[in-house]
Amino acid sequence: KLPLESIQVVLEELRKNGNLEWLDKNKTSFLIMWRRPEEWGKLIYQWVSKNGLTNSVFTLYELASGDDTEGEEFHGLDEAMLLRALQALQQEHKAEIITLDDGQGVKFF
């Protein structure tokens, strides 16, 4: 029941904080993210480091749905958001997204 101007202010604050991304140029459709991709990447990398899995390769399925990640906050993460998180890690030189025979994977450093 907020006026349109108030809604726009709220959405702009979410965008500034990195929790909202506009999906179209007219700003009529958007994605609200509970955590920014960088935050998801940090959680994933903490799990990798804690378990001594640097220099290991994982499929995206293994990370998001595998038995090893069950109970982790990123378990069940949408593949698009997982890719964004891994791209953030790739920019930090902590991971490299690779193409595997059956899809995509990631190698952690």
Side-chain angles (χ1 to χ4, degrees):
K1 295 193 176 212
L2 286 175
L4 182 58
E5 291 173 1
S6 298
I7 293 171
Q8 289 172 332
V9 168
V10 170
L11 294 178
E12 180 58 21
E13 282 301 310
L14 286 169
R15 187 199 63 77
K16 284 181 186 175
N17 291 331
N19 296 98
L20 180 140
E21 184 178 300
W22 291 107
L23 298 176
D24 64 349
K25 292 180 182 181
N26 296 328
K27 296 184 177 182
T28 59
S29 182
F30 52 87
L31 172 67
I32 293 181
M33 299 172 275
W34 177 47
R35 287 196 169 110
R36 296 184 322 250
E38 298 81 13
E39 293 171 323
W40 284 117
K42 184 178 179 180
L43 287 172
I44 293 167
Y45 198 76
Q46 285 174 348
W47 174 80
V48 167
S49 297
K50 178 180 71 175
N51 290 291
L53 298 170
T54 53
N55 295 317
S56 297
V57 175
F58 292 90
T59 64
L60 298 188
Y61 177 83
E62 288 174 313
L63 282 177
S65 304
D67 293 340
D68 292 339
T69 62
E70 202 166 321
E72 298 297 326
E73 291 185 64
F74 59 87
H75 187 83
L77 189 62
D78 176 70
E79 186 174 317
M81 183 56 69
L82 177 60
L83 268 173
R84 289 173 182 216
L86 296 174
Q87 287 167 346
L89 288 175
Q90 187 168 266
Q91 288 178 342
E92 296 175 22
H93 306 288
K94 293 181 177 179
E96 181 181 354
I97 298 169
I98 55 177
T99 302
L100 303 169
D101 293 338
D102 56 346
Q104 290 185 299
V106 60
K107 180 174 181 175
F108 293 101
F109 304 111

